[in-house]
Each structure stands twice: as structure tokens, then as C-alpha cells.
Amino acid sequence: MKLWKAAFVPLAIAVVATGYGTVLVRRGFSARGTPSPIEKFASATALRLAVPSKYRQLRNPFSASPENLQAGMEHFADHCATCHANDGGGDTLFGKGLYPKPPNMRAAETQSKSDGELYYTIEDGIRLSGMPAFGEEPAAPHDADTWKLVLFIRHLPNMTAGELKDMDQLNPKTDEERQEEQEEQEFLRGNSPQTPNPKSHDH
């Protein structure tokens, strides 16, 4: 009887995995979908196990001073907000097109992670997702910019409207977008928009 039970468990797992794989293939591999509960559980478990223990135990060596939070905000706005949004919610053009979608970094799923786990994720990235590795190879636990990003991630649930407005000015913009913003500001001040100079044909 015990032998039968021991054989039944892996058989049941194999049947469920095969059925799930069949459904997944028939559903297609579009990045527009949302991960199933099984995928979420498997990926979350794998992420926890993948972070080396020496990183999980690390605490941020930088204090949440206004200067350090400002540095983290500027770095986040310039490097992270394209996918994660200024408020960390992930509601962006690129974020919506990723699979899995970027997590809501204000929620417990992210905020419950240790400082070291957040640091390691930024430095080493996450395989099979849109999260790249931003750190040097191999990762080392002493990058000041990354630690200040961790500080700012902790601050995301408490973001103010004024901070979000400031971040909007820090986001990467094309020359055309900056020109449009300047013209809008001139209009709001009551000035007539300036006629752009003819483009030069010189190379």
C-alpha cells in the first residue's frame, strides 16, 4: 500500500503538469496574457530559492536621508520608470507588454522582501522576464546607486503628488517631447509659441 502511494504522487504530478502544458500550448505564448496561479507560485518559489543566503540577510547600509532618497528617485525615474512607472505600479506601455507584468512595487509582494533580496534582483535581474541585470559581473553587495534605489523602493508606498510631478521632469524624453513641453509652458504663460528654426541641410 505504501509503495502504491509513493508511486501515485509523482504520477499525479506528471498528469497535472502534462495537462497544464497542453492548455498552455493551446492558449499560445502571447505576452498579453496574465500568469496563472500555478505560474505565479512556481516563479515566486524559484525566486526565493535563487537569491543567495548571503544577500537575503543583507541590510541597507544607507540611511533614508533626503539626499539618499533624492538620488534613488532620480535613478529610478531615469532607469526604472519606463517599465515600472514613477509610482512603481507598472502601468506603462512597456510594462503592459511584458510577461509576466512588472509587480506593483508598492504592494506587500515587493515590500516584504528583504533589502538584500531587492538589491540582488536589481543587480542580477530575473531570468525569463523583462527584468535585466543592472549590476557588474559578478554582482557585489557594495553598489551605492543600487542601495539608494532600494531606499526609494521602500519609499514608493508613501509617494506624494509633488514627488510624482518632480519625477515626471526626470523621466527620459526625446527632443520632440521636450519641445512640446516647452511650448505648453510658453502657452500657459501667455506667450505665443516660437516658430521653429528651419532645419539645416548640413550634415
Side-chain angles (χ1 to χ4, degrees), residues 106-182:
R106 300 163 299 187
E109 179 183 357
T110 297
Q111 295 296 324
S112 62
K113 296 182 183 298
S114 70
D115 291 344
E117 286 179 294
L118 294 177
Y119 180 95
Y120 185 81
T121 300
I122 296 169
E123 287 282 297
D124 265 33
I126 302 174
R127 291 185 181 185
L128 305 179
S129 78
M131 181 62 189
F134 286 103
E136 297 180 358
E137 177 67 29
H142 53 61
D143 188 278
D145 289 338
T146 301
W147 280 122
K148 291 173 184 178
L149 267 178
V150 173
L151 285 177
F152 182 70
I153 291 170
R154 296 291 190 212
H155 178 68
L156 283 171
N158 303 312
M159 288 284 289
T160 66
E163 289 173 324
L164 290 172
K165 185 176 180 180
D166 291 342
M167 288 184 73
D168 188 55
Q169 300 303 313
L170 297 169
N171 296 141
K173 293 181 175 64
T174 64
D175 291 339
E176 290 79 7
E177 288 172 329
R178 294 187 185 281
Q179 178 67 28
E180 287 180 5
E181 285 188 355
Q182 184 177 353

Side-chain angles (χ1 to χ4, degrees), residues 5-63:
K5 288 182 178 180
F8 176 77
V9 173
L11 178 62
I13 293 174
V15 170
V16 171
T18 301
Y20 179 74
T22 301
V23 172
L24 186 63
V25 171
R26 289 180 177 175
R27 189 178 64 183
F29 290 93
S30 170
R32 298 180 187 279
T34 301
S36 67
I38 295 176
E39 287 178 89
K40 289 181 179 179
F41 175 78
S43 62
T45 302
L47 281 175
R48 282 196 299 271
L49 296 175
V51 177
S53 59
K54 69 175 184 179
Y55 280 91
R56 283 199 297 269
Q57 299 168 7
L58 289 178
R59 299 191 60 156
N60 200 324
F62 291 85
S63 65

Side-chain angles (χ1 to χ4, degrees), residues 57-124:
Q57 299 168 7
L58 289 178
R59 299 191 60 156
N60 200 324
F62 291 85
S63 65
S65 67
E67 295 78 14
N68 288 337
L69 283 174
Q70 179 66 27
M73 175 191 290
E74 292 175 1
H75 199 132
F76 191 94
D78 189 42
H79 293 80
C80 312
T82 301
C83 292
H84 290 285
N86 286 334
D87 64 359
D91 187 15
T92 68
L93 175 64
F94 290 109
K96 291 176 180 178
L98 291 174
Y99 188 96
K101 307 294 184 288
N104 181 352
M105 301 177 79
R106 300 163 299 187
E109 179 183 357
T110 297
Q111 295 296 324
S112 62
K113 296 182 183 298
S114 70
D115 291 344
E117 286 179 294
L118 294 177
Y119 180 95
Y120 185 81
T121 300
I122 296 169
E123 287 282 297
D124 265 33

